[in-house]
Amino acid sequence: MVEFDGRDLSPANSGEWANIKGAEFYNCRFLGVETSNFLGSQGLRFIDCRFEQCNLSNINVTGFVLRDGIFESCKLVGINWTSCASLMGPQFKDCKIDLSVFQRLKLRSLECSQCSAKEVDFAEADLSKSNFTGSTL
């Protein structure tokens, strides 16, 4: 298994981490990354990672584990978050998450501030104690 810890990852160095299976990223920062950088990747684990100015629209997150991830100024349109193996504690700040699916997920204390969340499917999701300050739903 490949592990990355405390790294800054960008498209410029994607050759060492893109298209891999079963990699684990701990406390990494992704800056300006595109969906194409993850094509073919499977079973990835992101723990305490930060995504800034990334365009991950329509990414297939099947089997991904995302824990305590921060997404800031990212485009995350059309993602079916229900296909993650685990989604815990995501924070979205100044992001575009339109047309995404969070159906039936337990997202207590979800942070979604200053975001565009148009036509997002939150049906039967647990959004107790969540914050949507400044967001457009």
Side-chain angles (χ1 to χ4, degrees):
M1 180 179 322
V2 179
E3 287 188 18
F4 296 87
D5 191 359
R7 300 277 306 276
D8 282 345
L9 301 163
S10 69
N13 63 2
S14 67
E16 67 180 293
W17 58 267
N19 301 317
I20 54 180
K21 295 175 173 65
E24 295 189 4
F25 299 90
Y26 296 97
N27 196 32
C28 290
R29 177 177 173 245
F30 294 85
L31 180 61
V33 172
E34 304 269 334
T35 302
S36 61
N37 295 122
F38 290 104
L39 288 179
S41 298
Q42 297 175 357
L44 302 180
R45 297 173 56 88
F46 300 92
I47 312 299
D48 294 320
C49 290
R50 181 177 202 91
F51 297 82
E52 299 173 14
Q53 301 170 13
C54 296
N55 181 357
L56 301 176
S57 293
N58 298 308
I59 190 170
N60 181 356
V61 294
T62 300
F64 282 25
V65 172
L66 296 161
R67 291 197 184 136
D68 300 318
I70 297 173
F71 297 87
E72 191 166 347
S73 301
C74 292
K75 187 175 179 186
L76 306 163
V77 175
I79 298 175
N80 182 358
W81 297 95
T82 64
S83 64
C84 285
S86 177
L87 178 65
M88 297 173 55
Q91 294 181 37
F92 302 100
K93 300 174 183 179
D94 191 33
C95 291
K96 187 171 186 171
I97 62 170
D98 300 340
L99 303 169
S100 293
V101 179
F102 294 92
Q103 190 176 41
R104 295 187 196 104
L105 292 176
K106 292 180 181 168
L107 298 169
R108 294 180 189 110
S109 302
L110 173 69
E111 180 70 30
C112 188
S113 58
Q114 305 298 320
C115 293
S116 175
K118 298 174 186 169
E119 297 185 53
V120 172
D121 185 353
F122 288 113
E124 299 179 44
D126 181 354
L127 298 171
S128 57
K129 299 182 183 177
S130 292
N131 177 15
F132 288 90
T133 302
S135 293
T136 304
L137 301 173

